[in-house]
Amino acid sequence: MSEQKTKVAEPRVDAPADHSTPATNPFQNFLKGSAGRNLGLVIALVLLLVVGAVTSGDRFLNLENMLTILRYASIIGVVSIGVTFVITAGGIDLSVGSVLGLTTVVASLSSVQLAATQSSWILMVVVALGVGALAGLINGLVVAYGNVVSFIATLAMLVGARGLAELISGRSTQIVNNRDFLQVLRADFLGVSVLIWIFVIVAVAGWFLLNRTTFGRRTVAIGGNLEAARLAGIKVKRHMVSLYVLAGVTAGIGGVMFLGRTTAGTSTHGLLLELDVIAAVVVGGTLLIGGRGTIMGTVLGVLIFSTLVNVFTQNNLDTSVQALARGLILVVAVLLQQRFATRGGRTRKAKLKPAKV
């Protein structure tokens, strides 16, 4: 019987597993970042300008029309800055249009104008900002401490503020007679309307507050994960109240600008403004589910919609077509947001459930 030699299998040495992160395309990383998203908005804005130039020619490209676009965007833009903070934190504010209308009515009351004439036109501004802040405070308290879903709470304020404005004004238009107030708000500085300068100042202040302060970081943290923010020591309820007050103040600023532009206060000011504001914020790249906000994107979103309205107006197109186009843009923006929110197999659908603050 021949001896059989059994071969002993040598241990197999596998190549070390590569746990390093796969190389990514730098261009793709750029597009995924805030700079890439803003670049897309800039391209969309430029395309709209090109369309306007081709269809309307010199009427569209002249300096006066460009300033008209900016003036139209200024009031919506100021209000949008405040709403950006609320949406970044995972909330919503449907009442800003009605609050704006209420501020114009209260600030243009004959008693307020008389007191402003005897003291200073700044009193009208203070009254408008105070009314807006008070409305925002009520919204914040109901949402944060009343545990009412922000959609319902601000919807109630939308109806209530509009009704209060109608009661105070008797559904009549109140003319602004304070000359100093009108002289300041209707003036130009360096050839540019004061309303545009107000928009620029509010946008810069909003960008700094969101991106360079603890207040902004807390806002993003609450929108990203409310429970984690609470465990990290953030006073979530107090912070949410301050965000709604901020939105109310920007609505008050918008009311002052409305008074300066129209020289009248009425309960119809700001009607459906909240829809334009939310559309501009969402198109700008702020996530509706919270956790990401961008002031620069909001500014670009406002400019895109105001330019779109101007292009349609220059070409005498029906307002129904304008509404359809804006609705399509908003739907596309939300679809893109959903794609970004679920990238890499990580979904954030759970955040859509209302959480107690």
Side-chain angles (χ1 to χ4, degrees), residues 98-161:
S98 296
V99 171
L100 183 149
L102 178 61
T103 62
T104 65
V105 168
V106 177
S108 61
L109 288 173
S110 57
S111 57
V112 175
Q113 293 197 62
L114 178 61
T117 301
Q118 295 174 348
S119 57
S120 172
W121 61 270
I122 297 178
L123 177 62
M124 296 177 64
V125 177
V126 173
V127 168
L129 298 187
V131 171
L134 179 60
L137 177 62
I138 294 173
N139 280 334
L141 291 175
V142 172
V143 172
Y145 293 94
N147 291 326
V148 177
V149 177
S150 59
F151 181 91
I152 300 299
T154 57
L155 181 62
M157 178 59 73
L158 179 152
V159 178

Side-chain angles (χ1 to χ4, degrees), residues 21-235:
T21 303
T24 56
N25 189 335
F27 182 69
Q28 291 180 348
N29 288 336
F30 172 77
L31 292 179
K32 294 176 183 178
S34 59
R37 289 190 294 269
N38 289 338
L39 178 61
L41 294 172
V42 171
I43 293 174
L45 180 59
V46 170
L47 290 176
L48 277 176
L49 293 173
V50 171
V51 171
V54 171
T55 57
S56 302
D58 295 337
R59 286 185 306 161
F60 181 82
L61 290 176
N62 64 65
L63 179 61
E64 183 59 34
N65 189 58
M66 293 295 104
L67 292 177
T68 298
I69 293 175
L70 292 176
R71 279 194 297 268
Y72 179 84
S74 60
I75 297 177
I76 300 176
V78 166
V79 181
S80 298
I81 298 300
V83 174
T84 298
F85 282 85
V86 174
I87 295 180
T88 300
I92 195 73
D93 193 344
L94 301 176
S95 66
V96 286
S98 296
V99 171
L100 183 149
L102 178 61
T103 62
T104 65
V105 168
V106 177
S108 61
L109 288 173
S110 57
S111 57
V112 175
Q113 293 197 62
L114 178 61
T117 301
Q118 295 174 348
S119 57
S120 172
W121 61 270
I122 297 178
L123 177 62
M124 296 177 64
V125 177
V126 173
V127 168
L129 298 187
V131 171
L134 179 60
L137 177 62
I138 294 173
N139 280 334
L141 291 175
V142 172
V143 172
Y145 293 94
N147 291 326
V148 177
V149 177
S150 59
F151 181 91
I152 300 299
T154 57
L155 181 62
M157 178 59 73
L158 179 152
V159 178
R162 188 73 65 186
L164 181 59
E166 291 177 352
L167 288 175
I168 294 175
S169 64
R171 297 189 176 182
S172 61
T173 300
Q174 301 174 158
I175 305 301
V176 177
N177 298 314
N178 190 296
R179 294 183 178 179
D180 294 335
F181 178 85
L182 295 178
Q183 185 176 3
V184 173
L185 269 297
R186 296 174 70 85
D188 291 343
F189 179 69
L190 299 178
V192 178
S193 171
V194 168
L195 300 183
I196 299 175
W197 285 112
I198 294 175
F199 178 28
V200 172
I201 293 171
V202 172
V204 171
W207 179 89
F208 182 83
L209 186 62
L210 183 61
N211 296 284
R212 293 292 184 268
T213 66
T214 303
F215 183 89
R217 287 191 290 271
R218 289 174 178 173
T219 301
V220 175
I222 291 172
N225 191 319
L226 187 145
E227 188 60 29
R230 192 203 313 274
L231 294 176
I234 298 176
K235 296 180 179 179

